[in-house]
Amino acid sequence: MSGAGGEAFIAAVKPLVDAMGGEMLPPDEAGADDVVLSWQGAGVVAVRLPQLADSLDHILAALERGHGRPLAELDRRTKQEIVRGLEARGAFAVRHGVETVASALGVSRFTVYNYLNREKGS
């Protein structure tokens, strides 16, 4: 990670990496599954992406921070909007995604499925 341009690039991508729950490391420490980002022809930073299940936990925590209270305390309509948003982001393709979301929202798996089916039916 060298040069002023590289440092500016790293600063620019850091919010995105943080939002994904990723980790930034020097390019020479990159593993096979890491993504090396280049700037002006040189690798300046490697990004280690989180496991999908960890990403879902990260997304739920961010939603909770954004709402300023536990997701379980939100009203039904807001929970439905959250479920639709999570579905659009692929949250339910993750193993145990429905269970994880149901637990965070303080509802049953059946309720999450109802929220998903209600959207598809309308």
Side-chain angles (χ1 to χ4, degrees):
M1 295 191 232
S2 61
E7 294 300 323
F9 178 77
I10 291 168
V13 299
K14 185 175 185 335
L16 175 62
V17 174
D18 289 346
M20 294 183 321
E23 176 186 352
M24 297 172 72
L25 52 144
D28 60 343
E29 293 180 20
D33 293 332
D34 298 331
V35 179
V36 176
L37 302 178
S38 296
W39 180 251
Q40 298 178 336
V44 292
V45 66
V47 176
R48 180 159 296 153
L49 299 172
Q51 298 297 313
L52 287 174
D54 294 338
S55 292
L56 181 54
D57 289 338
H58 192 79
I59 290 166
L60 290 167
L63 284 167
E64 196 162 271
R65 284 192 305 274
H67 286 280
R69 58 186 164 155
L71 299 178
E73 294 178 5
L74 300 174
D75 62 57
R76 186 172 64 101
R77 180 176 302 254
T78 304
K79 289 178 181 181
Q80 289 171 331
E81 291 170 2
I82 287 172
V83 167
R84 284 193 296 271
L86 290 171
E87 181 183 31
R89 295 175 81 171
F92 302 112
V94 176
R95 184 179 172 134
H96 303 298
V98 171
E99 292 87 347
T100 300
V101 171
S103 176
L105 294 177
V107 299
S108 69
R109 289 182 359 212
F110 179 75
T111 298
V112 172
Y113 285 119
N114 272 343
Y115 292 168
L116 291 167
N117 290 332
R118 177 170 289 126
E119 180 65 15
K120 286 179 176 48
S122 53

